[in-house]
Amino acid sequence: MDSRRYLGQAGMEAAVLPSRAAYLIASGSVAGFRTAVTQASSRWGGMTEPIVEAQASGLSPLHEQTVRVAKVEALVNIDADFQAAKKIAQGLGLPIVDLAVIRKSDVAFTCSLAEVVQYTDPAYPPIAASPTGALWHLAAAGCVEPHRLLEHVRVSKQEDEFGRYQLNEDSRIHSTLAQFGEYPSTPARHIPTVLWVIEDEGFTDSIDFWNTRALRPAHMIEMPMLLLPGADTVKHWLDFPKQVARLLKSRPREFAVDVALVSRSASPDQLLKFASALGLEPTEEEPRDGACMPASPARTAPFTFRTDLDPTAWVTIERHYGVPTSFDVQVFAGGPSTLRFVQPVQFNGRAGALVRFWGEPLLGLPARPSIARLVHPGAQWRDGRLQLAFLPMSHQLAVQMTFPLLPQATEQLLDDVTTGHQLSSAGRLGTALAERADSFALLEPGVYEAAIALTTPRSKELLRRLKERRADGDPDADLAELAATWGGAGLSAAICPPTSCRMSGWRTGRRHWSGCARWAGPSAGWRASAPRAPAGRSFRSPRPAVPRSAPGAAPCPPTSPAAR
């Protein structure tokens, strides 16, 4: 016999995404950068995986911000110092994975590009760099290992192709965004085109360009990004200025300026020379973004540029990763509910992926690990959603989840933080009344007024009255008598002086239940009081009692166990 209780139908949503990583390399490590690019170029969603430098002091503020905004699942250590990498991972609250076991770790739930790319014209495959090519080639187009040359990709050695193919985002690294999604879906904001200029080897330019592009939303903004060599190289590329002008002309008029020139290695004069080679004109116009539905008429020459704009602010925006879908579920209490839906990503073969769930049955549940395990043994909270990993990933999913009611969730949370707990006498009485009585009786005339009349005055008012009596010079006996008249015989007010108690979240004058001192009258002074449970509950706490102190002493001194 089915012991479950049917609660009704509810709407839920799910998003499918790859398990993504951030790569840790040693500071200034060119070899580490090449290895990280090679790994990212072979993974679904690899263009959104940052590469950051691990220093002895940790990550730079910019790189730490990059990892946090990217919302990756783990850090992959390429060639950074192990202790430094471990410390960085602890600070970010992420697991650390060695490169040798990347396919057996938290970031293994993804797939190769062959499983997600729907179609590639064999006559015009995307280009990629060789793992030993120029750094800017790898950063701009990604790279491919020799044993993967059977895939639809062409390794190019012609420098101008790495510039031209970026205009159409037709490269190996851009292919990693096939069926990669973000939500919520909003009309795309239009941002100035970013031309990133690199001089000499350009390690800093390569890694900064890579990370800025990794944070660029795939659908929420339209911001073309190109990594290009200096004017001395670009001026020899036949018709390249016309191709750039064609890109700029195709964009709507809702934003300004046309181009943001960015570089970590080029001097101001070199940037001006580069702009002149492409026919761009300087401007002092204030930058702005915009969105238009439908798009406005195209832009016209002359096209303007500025060299003092930082694109980082344009890409560090909040977003959720994944391709979303919605479905209905029949919800039961006291047992599992089955979630059945067709997931939105079309895989060509064996692939792994993550699925994040949210919706009505999960509303109000605390985002704690123990609560996630109540719902599903393999679940965890990620980005405010309940996440499950699948390998292999099926086209149609059927997942069983047990949705706890709030009383069950409360029991679990209390189990997490106490050695034992049970209903107090008042709690048992209240529970029995709640189960037997019709709650609509509380709406009857006069019930509310009667409840207010029987309610004990709040501790804030008691504190105000006690302060007034103290200011008037009333003796301690009168203060104790006042407290007793508010709460009944034998009541001792557990009220902390303004700066003496550091209980979690309770403000001055409120009673707390994590253990404090109480005023027991002028003859006894302050005494330890047992920890107080929330209304309707009591629990056994392993905390030691607070030692007796003289009258007027701080009830919870910073060094006492109760203050901790």
Side-chain angles (χ1 to χ4, degrees):
M1 180 178 178
D2 193 347
S3 61
R4 299 178 301 170
R5 178 163 56 94
Y6 180 61
L7 299 181
Q9 179 175 287
M12 290 196 69
E13 294 183 81
V16 179
L17 67 157
S19 180
R20 299 158 46 250
Y23 302 95
L24 279 175
I25 65 174
S27 181
S29 174
V30 173
F33 180 77
R34 293 181 185 275
T35 302
V37 171
T38 302
Q39 288 295 324
S41 299
S42 66
R43 292 163 50 87
W44 179 32
M47 198 173 83
T48 66
E49 297 183 318
I51 302 173
V52 293
E53 296 178 88
Q55 303 170 353
S57 58
L59 297 179
S60 68
L62 177 60
H63 281 183
E64 181 177 343
Q65 179 191 42
T66 299
V67 175
R68 293 189 184 277
V69 174
K71 298 179 180 179
V72 297
E73 297 296 315
L75 299 179
V76 175
N77 188 12
I78 302 296
D79 62 356
D81 176 75
F82 176 76
Q83 293 301 327
K86 184 178 179 180
K87 182 178 178 181
I88 291 171
Q90 290 174 344
L92 294 170
L94 293 172
I96 183 74
V97 175
D98 189 76
L99 178 61
V101 295
I102 188 174
R103 301 185 187 278
K104 301 179 182 180
S105 65
D106 294 334
V107 292
F109 300 98
T110 184
C111 60
S112 67
L113 304 193
E115 319 310 329
V116 289
V117 173
Q118 297 298 297
Y119 174 75
T120 299
D121 188 346
Y124 300 98
I127 67 166
S130 165
T132 59
L135 280 188
W136 81 268
H137 292 177
L138 275 77
C143 69
V144 62
E145 298 172 290
H147 69 273
R148 293 183 178 270
L149 290 180
L150 295 178
E151 299 181 15
H152 292 299
V153 63
R154 178 172 62 87
V155 176
S156 176
K157 296 183 179 179
Q158 298 184 28
E159 199 162 42
D160 66 313
E161 285 191 332
F162 289 97
R164 299 181 199 278
Y165 273 66
Q166 286 183 85
L167 293 169
N168 298 319
E169 298 189 342
D170 194 11
S171 68
R172 171 73 170 187
I173 197 62
H174 288 94
S175 299
T176 66
L177 293 188
Q179 300 193 77
F180 183 85
E182 297 166 342
Y183 61 94
S185 179
T186 57
R189 295 165 47 229
H190 300 286
I191 308 291
T193 299
V194 176
L195 300 183
W196 205 298
V197 183
I198 187 169
E199 294 285 351
D200 303 322
E201 186 182 51
F203 171 80
T204 303
D205 280 304
S206 295
I207 194 171
D208 284 0
F209 172 83
W210 177 280
N211 288 333
T212 304
R213 187 185 58 190
L215 297 184
R216 180 185 60 174
H219 307 294
M220 296 170 63
I221 67 172
E222 183 195 4
M223 185 182 81
M225 290 185 67
L226 285 76
L227 180 62
L228 300 169
D232 292 339
T233 301
V234 169
K235 68 181 181 183
H236 298 298
W237 294 356
L238 185 64
D239 289 335
F240 186 70
K242 293 181 180 179
Q243 292 175 325
V244 173
R246 192 177 301 120
L247 169 66
L248 300 178
K249 190 180 297 184
S250 67
R251 308 197 64 204
R253 295 179 178 176
E254 267 61 47
F255 66 93
V257 185
D258 290 294
V259 174
L261 290 184
V262 182
S263 181
R264 306 288 189 252
S265 56
S267 66
D269 289 341
Q270 288 174 319
L271 289 179
L272 292 176
K273 186 177 179 181
F274 177 88
S276 178
L278 295 183
L280 305 177
E281 296 187 359
T283 183
E284 296 298 326
E285 184 178 6
E286 288 298 318
R288 69 177 188 277
D289 61 2
C292 182
M293 295 291 287
S296 64
R299 306 177 79 85
T300 58
F303 301 109
T304 59
F305 76 93
R306 289 185 62 160
T307 61
D308 57 350
L309 302 179
D310 182 7
T312 304
W314 301 336
V315 298
T316 51
I317 58 178
E318 179 68 21
R319 89 290 304 265
H320 302 287
Y321 291 100
V323 181
T325 187
S326 58
F327 56 93
D328 293 325
V329 59
Q330 308 302 321
V331 182
F332 294 85
S337 305
T338 302
L339 285 62
R340 290 187 175 90
F341 63 100
V342 175
Q343 59 91 4
V345 177
Q346 303 294 320
F347 293 106
N348 301 324
R350 179 182 173 85
L354 303 175
V355 182
R356 291 177 179 169
F357 299 89
W358 68 99
E360 296 174 43
L362 297 173
L363 290 178
L365 292 180
R368 303 288 183 87
S370 59
I371 302 298
R373 291 190 294 269
L374 279 183
V375 180
H376 191 283
Q380 59 179 316
W381 295 103
R382 291 289 289 145
D383 197 20
R385 275 71 170 148
L386 195 74
Q387 177 174 287
L388 288 175
F390 294 86
L391 182 65
M393 183 73 167
S394 303
H395 178 58
Q396 183 170 341
L397 295 179
V399 183
Q400 286 196 335
M401 292 186 179
T402 302
F403 300 111
L405 301 179
L406 290 182
Q408 296 171 284
T410 303
E411 291 284 338
Q412 182 61 55
L413 293 178
L414 289 172
D415 286 340
D416 292 343
V417 298
T418 63
T419 58
H421 60 86
Q422 62 183 3
L423 286 172
S424 63
S425 57
R428 288 193 295 271
L429 176 60
T431 301
L433 292 175
E435 292 176 350
R436 297 179 183 179
D438 184 359
S439 59
F440 286 99
L442 298 175
L443 302 179
E444 295 293 332
V447 174
Y448 174 78
E449 290 78 2
I452 293 299
L454 294 172
T455 301
T456 302
R458 302 299 297 169
S459 58
K460 284 185 177 180
E461 178 64 16
L462 174 59
L463 177 64
R464 186 183 66 81
R465 295 285 297 277
L466 288 172
K467 286 183 175 179
E468 290 177 354
R469 291 289 188 91
R470 173 68 73 181
D472 294 340
D474 287 0
D476 291 341
D478 291 347
L479 299 183
E481 181 180 358
L482 173 64
T485 60
W486 280 51
L491 175 68
S492 296
I495 301 176
C496 300
T499 60
S500 63
C501 185
R502 301 185 296 178
M503 293 297 104
S504 57
W506 290 94
R507 296 184 179 178
T508 299
R510 292 189 183 178
R511 288 176 291 179
H512 52 75
W513 55 280
S514 48
C516 193
R518 61 185 176 87
W519 179 250
S523 62
W526 290 98
R527 287 185 178 177
S529 65
R532 298 189 178 215
R537 289 197 172 272
S538 63
F539 67 90
R540 297 185 299 276
S541 172
R543 298 186 181 92
V546 183
R548 180 186 300 185
S549 56
C556 292
T559 57
S560 71
R564 293 194 293 268

